[in-house]
Amino acid sequence: MDSTTPRPEILDTAFPWPRPPIDPPPAYDWLRENEPIHQVATAGGGKAWLITRYDDVRAILSDPRVSSDSQNPGFPRFGSMPEPEDQRLFLRMDAPQHTIFRDLLAKNFTLSAMKRMRPAIQELVDDTIDTMLANPDRKADFVESLALPIPSTVLSWLLGVRAEDRAFFNSAADRALAATDPTNPAALDIAMTAMHELRAYIRSIAEERAALDDPGDDIMGQLVGAARAGEITMMDVENSGFLLIIAGHDTTTNMTALGTYTLLQHRNQWDEMRNNPALVRNAVEELLRYLTVVHLVVLRVATEDIEIGGVTIEAGDSIIPLNLAANRDDAHFPGADQLDIHRKARDHFAFGHGVHQCIGQALARLELQVIFETLTRRVPTLALDADSADLPFKRWSGINGLFSMPVTW
């Protein structure tokens, strides 16, 4: 973007701003070129520093002088109050508390664990595609038919929850994170109701496990076992299960739908993947970079004064490292606004960076690799069955995606 481009008027409105269906808000480009460290007013009534350049985002996310603790008064707010201390998710904690939960859960997401899961995920993807293709009209809602059920089923395996409950937490998780449109006065009430429903569900599962002599070796069983050993509390079990449902379900669902939409808009690259499956791993990394669906979740607060880019961020200031802006930084990814499945983009920030980098990233990568390889091979004629302008994108959600996507084949 030319540095002479006029200053966007939206900079004077409360953050966050709605994003276009795929690309970042245009103001991100202007900020990266002109004011890469910029303070804005937020919808929560405070102020926050936006960080937009790749190198600066990396530096902030690596800096021990920044905190992820949501109980800190300077933590960024978008109109919501901080959650009660006993309901805080480990995503919003610092060491040593954060470390306890990562150590408890990490063994479920190792590369060797993913290798063991791959055959089951491949079978699940094939079965789900079989069901979709069985429609004699050769039409389906891609989100409902494929993008939602695959991640939720995999999550049910990991958590050890009842398969018959998948429809419930599909709906509740979707309402909890997608009902964030500030133009809709009922949005917050919808989201809070869904979150309470999810918490009550996880609580019931935790209580069932706690009543057993052996709580099991799935994630819920491991968490209940840690509570019995005094390492964490039963409320921590509930909080962790709740976070895993949100993080493991909504993110991969939206990435599957939006990634498929994007590939269908770049048909030559869809065809390249079909003809050369070896490209799929690289393509997944590029789609993660290009789309950065999780773009308003990485939030921080300074615990000491930090000088970066010639600007001093004072202790107690809110910080929003814009991973979406960083992943579109031409200085690090030349031609960043172009999708290129040949690009080596593994160092993107779609999963964050540093000690709070997404614990489930290996699982997300595995699911996406299997889904896109199988789709391009088995459904090569897949196509949108609607005008792009009519698709319901999640323009106000902290996790970008699609509510539905009609397809044909």
mmCIF file of all heavy atoms in Angstrom, residues 137 209 226 325:
data_model
loop_
_atom_site.group_PDB
_atom_site.id
_atom_site.type_symbol
_atom_site.label_atom_id
_atom_site.label_comp_id
_atom_site.label_asym_id
_atom_site.label_seq_id
_atom_site.Cartn_x
_atom_site.Cartn_y
_atom_site.Cartn_z
ATOM 1 N N ASP A 137 -29.461 -35.225 -5.024
ATOM 2 C CA ASP A 137 -29.511 -33.920 -5.678
ATOM 3 C C ASP A 137 -28.116 -33.349 -5.941
ATOM 4 O O ASP A 137 -28.002 -32.305 -6.581
ATOM 5 C CB ASP A 137 -30.296 -32.920 -4.819
ATOM 6 C CG ASP A 137 -31.756 -33.298 -4.686
ATOM 7 O OD1 ASP A 137 -32.291 -33.932 -5.624
ATOM 8 O OD2 ASP A 137 -32.365 -32.969 -3.648
ATOM 9 N N ARG A 209 -17.299 -38.860 35.640
ATOM 10 C CA ARG A 209 -15.987 -39.505 35.708
ATOM 11 C C ARG A 209 -15.474 -39.575 37.146
ATOM 12 O O ARG A 209 -14.843 -40.555 37.553
ATOM 13 C CB ARG A 209 -14.983 -38.746 34.839
ATOM 14 C CG ARG A 209 -15.316 -38.754 33.368
ATOM 15 C CD ARG A 209 -15.419 -40.189 32.822
ATOM 16 N NE ARG A 209 -15.580 -40.172 31.394
ATOM 17 C CZ ARG A 209 -14.569 -40.076 30.542
ATOM 18 N NH1 ARG A 209 -13.328 -40.023 30.975
ATOM 19 N NH2 ARG A 209 -14.801 -40.054 29.240
ATOM 20 N N ALA A 226 -5.935 -35.822 37.619
ATOM 21 C CA ALA A 226 -5.079 -34.762 38.155
ATOM 22 C C ALA A 226 -5.768 -34.033 39.307
ATOM 23 O O ALA A 226 -5.114 -33.620 40.279
ATOM 24 C CB ALA A 226 -4.712 -33.782 37.044
ATOM 25 N N ALA A 325 -2.576 -9.276 10.569
ATOM 26 C CA ALA A 325 -1.781 -8.264 9.862
ATOM 27 C C ALA A 325 -0.363 -8.759 9.632
ATOM 28 O O ALA A 325 0.219 -8.569 8.552
ATOM 29 C CB ALA A 325 -1.771 -6.960 10.655
#
